[in-house]
């Protein structure tokens, strides 16, 4: 245990294996390893059970099996991961022939006889005892495995356990929430039920000593403050338990937190205060990102189905979980999240349920969901604002166009009226010139007095002077509001007499604009 390691001494959520590296990491359970090993030596079949995450697989792979090999020269066969499409007895037979190097499985033998043949061959070829470790035995009890195939498997294992040979030992490992179902199925095979061994979770005190030892094995070696580490272990204790050294811990999350903290400190971080929840939140993000193209489906499963409206954890049956995922992705996503300890599976009343592994994870998922919804609302609001701006801009543009068209119409109408008025004035002027040229002075003056907008025709003044020059006598000029009019001899005034006996005098200035000087009786 003194040799240095060139890797992180903490595994994370995966179980310890039987490799040399993992055996060096495995610490803190020497006493329970010894007791379980003695139980195995004393009983043909031992049923190892405990809560999910208690470390059953790690205890056997990195603790009991290596000691049985070293101290009692055992050969070991480890079987787990029971495929749903494979009969469990046939799966076991193939594992025995392969791991004990017994050659090809006899094709002409039924599975039960092939199992017996494997044990016989093993005993014939070596006097060394054999340990058969059947891990995750809850899997053949799940829906998806045929009942008849599972019955055949249990019957075959019981037949092996009833052999009087001292060279064969069997360990069955399963989660204790499946123990009742297993006992119901194995009720007729007493040998499978005689040797039970429960493994409970590590306590805060036990894990503290293990962690303080493990950090010295890393490369570079580290030293963690005992009190700080104890506070960290208390953060990952089971929910609802008192903050004491006897409180049970959730080992998977302790491994996750310690692995991340060790890496940070190896990189030079000197932060003393450690927030396990923050580390676990980062771990969740990394786990989801590692799923690659499956990440959106996993996120939707967590956010939409595994957190309640108040942010607490929600239970989901395996059938519901699979229905919430694309069929081709369901098994991969659920398996990955369960192995990473993001999801925890429990059995109850014949059904398998999933829930998030910790309240911290539920809180992170809930916060991510809220942020995602807020971001979606923000994007929707931006879209609506863009639409509104386009509508307003369109309305303003249309208003401007309509206004411009209206003004253009008014302008065109006024212009047409001005052109018509000018044409009339020019016509009157042309008529007056023609009359003057003929010597019809009175009639020319009469036409001139019909022009009311004199500013439009500057020639009016000159033409009026011409009319005055040709005649200084009084002339009668008909107009809408007068009875007669005359030009003064000097050409400076035009006097208009009205029917009421009044008269108004006009002076013509040099610019051709008539100005009212005075009115008199």
């Amino acid at each position: 245990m003194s040799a240095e390691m060139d890797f992180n001494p903490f595994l994370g959520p995966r179980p310890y294996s039987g490799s040399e590296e993992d055996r060096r990491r495995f610490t803190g359970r020497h006493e329970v390893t010894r007791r379980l090993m003695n139980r195995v030596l004393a009983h043909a079949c031992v049923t190892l059970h405990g809560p999910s995450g208690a470390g059953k697989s790690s205890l056997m792979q990195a603790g009991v099996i290596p000691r049985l090999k070293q101290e009692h020269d055992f050969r070991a066969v480890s079987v787990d991961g029971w495929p749903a499409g494979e009969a469990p007895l046939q799966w076991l037979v193939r594992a025995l022939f392969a791991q004990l190097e017994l050659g090809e499985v006899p094709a002409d033998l039924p599975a039960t006889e092939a199992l017996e043949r494997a044990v016989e061959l093993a005993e014939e070829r070596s006097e060394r005892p054999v340990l058969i470790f059947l891990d995750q035995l809850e899997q053949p009890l799940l829906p998806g495995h045929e009942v008849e195939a599972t019955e055949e498997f249990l019957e075959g294992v019981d037949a092996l356990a009833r052999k009087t040979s001292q060279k064969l030992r069997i360990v069955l490992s399963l989660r204790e929430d499946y123990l009742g179902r297993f006992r119901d199925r194995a009720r007729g095979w007493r040998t499978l039920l005689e040797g039970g061994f429960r493994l409970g979770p590590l306590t805060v005190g036990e894990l503290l000593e293990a962690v303080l030892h493990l950090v010295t094995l890393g490369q570079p070696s580290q030293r963690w403050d005992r009190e700080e580490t104890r506070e960290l272990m208390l953060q990952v204790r089971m929910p609802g338990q008192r903050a004491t050294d006897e409180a049970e811990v959730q080992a998977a999350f302790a491994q996750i937190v310690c692995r991340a903290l060790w890496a940070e400190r190896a990189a030079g971080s000197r932060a003393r205060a450690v927030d396990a929840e923050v580390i676990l939140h980062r771990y969740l993000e990394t786990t989801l990102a590692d799923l690659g193209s499956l990440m959106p489906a996993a996120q939707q499963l967590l956010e939409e189905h595994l957190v309640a409206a108040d942010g607490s954890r929600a239970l989901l049956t395996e059938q519901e979980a699979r229905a919430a995922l694309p069929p081709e992705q369901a098994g991969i996503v659920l398996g990955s999240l369960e192995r990473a300890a993001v999801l925890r599976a429990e059995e109850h009343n014949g059904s398998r349920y999933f829930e998030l592994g910790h309240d911290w994870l539920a809180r992170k998922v809930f916060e991510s969901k809220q942020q995602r919804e807020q971001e979606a609302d923000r994007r929707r609001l931006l879209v609506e604002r863009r639409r509104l701006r386009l509508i307003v801009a369109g309305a303003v543009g249309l208003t401007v166009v309509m206004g411009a068209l209206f003004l253009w119409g008014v302008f065109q109408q006024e212009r047409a009226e001005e052109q018509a008025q000018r044409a009339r004035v020019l016509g009157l002027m042309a008529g007056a010139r023609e009359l003057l040229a003929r010597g019809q002075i009175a009639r020319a003056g009469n036409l001139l007095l019909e022009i009311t907008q004199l500013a439009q025709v500057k020639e009016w003044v000159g033409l009026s002077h011409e009319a005055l020059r040709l005649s200084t006598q009084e002339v009668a000029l008909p107009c809408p509001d007068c009875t007669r009019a005359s030009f003064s001899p000097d050409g400076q005034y035009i006097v208009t007499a009205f029917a009421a006996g009044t008269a108004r005098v006009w002076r013509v200035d040099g610019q051709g604009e008539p100005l009212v000087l005075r009115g008199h009786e």
Side-chain angles (χ1 to χ4, degrees):
M1 300 291 289
S2 60
E4 289 186 343
M5 307 168 71
D6 58 356
F7 47 79
N8 191 319
F10 298 99
L11 288 178
R14 75 169 177 85
Y16 288 85
S17 69
S19 69
E20 178 65 25
E21 292 178 352
D22 280 8
R23 291 201 303 271
R24 293 174 59 201
R25 285 171 166 149
F26 186 73
T27 185
R29 297 203 123 166
H30 302 296
E31 177 58 24
V32 72
T33 298
R34 183 191 64 80
R35 290 194 290 110
L36 179 55
M37 184 183 70
N38 290 338
R39 181 68 61 88
V40 171
L41 292 172
H43 293 82
C45 183
V46 174
T47 301
L48 173 63
H49 59 91
S52 176
K56 301 179 292 298
S57 300
S58 298
L59 180 63
M60 285 296 300
Q61 296 284 12
V64 173
I65 292 177
R67 286 193 63 177
L68 286 172
K69 288 181 177 180
Q70 181 179 0
E71 299 176 17
H72 300 278
D73 200 26
F74 265 80
R75 293 171 289 171
V77 176
S78 297
V79 186
D80 62 2
W82 308 87
E86 185 80 29
L89 185 57
Q90 294 176 346
W91 186 254
L92 171 58
V93 168
R94 279 200 289 271
L96 287 171
F97 273 86
Q99 295 184 37
L100 294 175
E101 299 180 350
L102 303 177
E104 296 293 329
V105 178
D108 58 340
L109 292 179
T112 303
E113 295 181 19
L115 178 63
E116 294 177 357
R117 182 57 181 158
V119 175
E120 291 172 358
L121 287 174
E123 292 178 349
E124 290 173 1
R125 297 183 182 185
S126 175
E127 294 184 355
R128 296 171 60 195
V130 175
L131 171 71
I132 301 176
F133 174 46
L134 306 182
D135 197 9
Q136 302 183 51
L137 202 61
E138 65 272 5
Q139 292 187 10
L141 305 177
L142 296 173
H145 288 275
E146 295 182 0
V147 175
E148 295 78 7
T150 302
E151 296 284 340
E152 181 186 30
F153 166 70
L154 293 176
E155 184 177 5
V157 174
D158 180 72
L160 289 183
R162 284 188 284 108
K163 286 182 175 291
T164 57
S165 173
Q166 295 297 312
K167 294 185 177 181
L168 179 65
R169 291 292 182 269
I170 301 173
V171 175
L172 312 176
S173 175
L174 73 162
R175 284 167 27 186
E176 63 184 4
D177 51 316
Y178 286 86
L179 187 59
R181 182 186 294 193
F182 172 72
R183 285 173 174 168
D184 288 341
R185 300 286 289 276
R187 187 168 297 170
W189 302 293
R190 294 180 58 187
T191 310
L192 300 181
L193 304 175
E194 288 178 350
F197 190 95
R198 183 183 187 273
L199 179 66
L202 284 166
T203 66
V204 168
E206 291 171 336
L207 189 57
L208 172 62
E209 298 302 326
V211 169
L212 291 177
H213 175 66
L214 279 173
V215 295
T216 66
L217 303 179
Q219 180 62 34
S221 177
Q222 297 183 16
R223 296 291 186 275
W224 287 10
D225 180 81
R226 172 175 288 272
E227 192 54 36
E228 281 185 5
T229 307
R230 180 178 182 274
E231 290 299 322
L232 183 60
M233 297 303 100
L234 287 173
Q235 289 185 49
V236 295
R237 69 184 186 275
M238 293 287 187
Q241 297 201 3
R242 296 175 60 191
T244 66
D245 284 355
E246 289 70 39
E248 296 178 337
V249 297
Q250 299 182 85
F253 298 117
Q255 283 275 1
I256 291 169
V257 171
C258 289
R259 181 175 177 83
L261 183 59
W262 191 91
E264 289 177 4
R265 291 181 173 177
S269 173
R270 294 293 180 265
R272 293 178 63 84
V274 179
D275 190 335
E277 182 175 358
V278 172
I279 293 176
L280 199 57
H281 287 180
R282 291 202 301 266
Y283 171 76
L284 174 62
E285 293 174 348
T286 302
T287 300
L288 291 175
D290 289 343
L291 288 172
S293 62
L294 302 180
M295 178 179 173
Q299 280 183 320
Q300 184 175 7
L301 174 69
L302 300 183
E303 294 179 5
E304 301 299 331
H305 301 280
L306 287 163
V307 289
D310 60 356
S312 61
R313 288 184 284 176
L315 284 175
L316 193 67
T317 66
E318 183 172 14
Q319 182 179 2
E320 291 171 335
R322 289 182 175 275
L325 294 166
E328 67 280 3
Q329 299 177 357
I332 301 174
V333 171
L334 292 174
S336 298
L337 295 180
E338 188 176 2
R339 286 191 298 273
V342 171
L343 288 185
R344 183 174 66 187
E346 297 286 348
E347 193 274 343
H348 181 69
N349 290 337
S351 298
R352 195 164 182 244
Y353 291 85
F354 286 107
E355 67 175 343
L356 285 163
H358 198 286
D359 287 337
W360 292 341
L361 294 175
R363 186 153 49 241
K364 177 60 177 177
V365 170
F366 186 65
E367 290 173 357
S368 299
K369 179 181 179 181
Q370 287 184 314
Q371 292 173 359
R372 200 180 307 279
E373 290 175 345
Q374 290 171 358
E375 179 64 21
D377 289 341
R378 189 183 70 82
R379 288 196 296 267
R380 283 195 296 270
L381 182 59
L382 288 176
V383 170
E384 290 298 325
R385 286 179 175 174
R386 291 193 188 101
R387 285 184 57 198
L388 182 59
R389 284 198 292 268
L390 289 174
I391 292 173
V392 171
V396 171
L398 182 60
T399 302
V400 170
V401 171
M402 294 299 293
L405 290 174
F406 174 77
L407 293 176
W408 182 81
V410 171
F411 171 75
Q412 291 296 324
Q413 182 178 0
E414 291 179 349
R415 183 179 180 185
E417 292 176 353
E418 290 177 359
Q419 290 176 346
Q421 179 66 25
R422 180 171 180 78
R424 177 176 176 276
V425 170
L426 292 176
L428 292 173
M429 293 289 294
R433 286 194 185 92
E434 185 178 351
L435 290 174
L436 286 176
R438 294 176 183 177
Q440 299 178 4
I441 300 171
R443 292 182 62 187
N446 195 16
L447 288 178
L448 289 175
L449 290 178
E450 290 185 23
I451 301 175
T452 59
Q453 296 180 347
L454 303 181
Q456 294 182 10
V457 185
K458 295 181 179 180
E459 296 88 345
W460 186 86
V461 175
L463 197 60
S464 299
H465 277 280
E466 178 66 15
L468 291 173
R469 186 184 63 79
L470 295 174
S471 176
T472 59
Q473 74 273 14
E474 181 178 290
V475 294
L477 297 174
C479 61
D481 55 354
C482 63
T483 57
R484 58 189 178 87
S486 63
F487 290 96
S488 63
D490 58 0
Q492 295 297 312
Y493 300 99
I494 300 174
V495 182
T496 303
F498 294 86
T502 61
R504 180 163 296 175
V505 178
W506 302 76
R507 180 175 65 84
V508 179
D509 63 12
Q511 298 301 318
E513 296 181 2
L515 301 175
V516 177
L517 296 180
R518 65 183 181 278
H520 58 83
E521 293 297 331

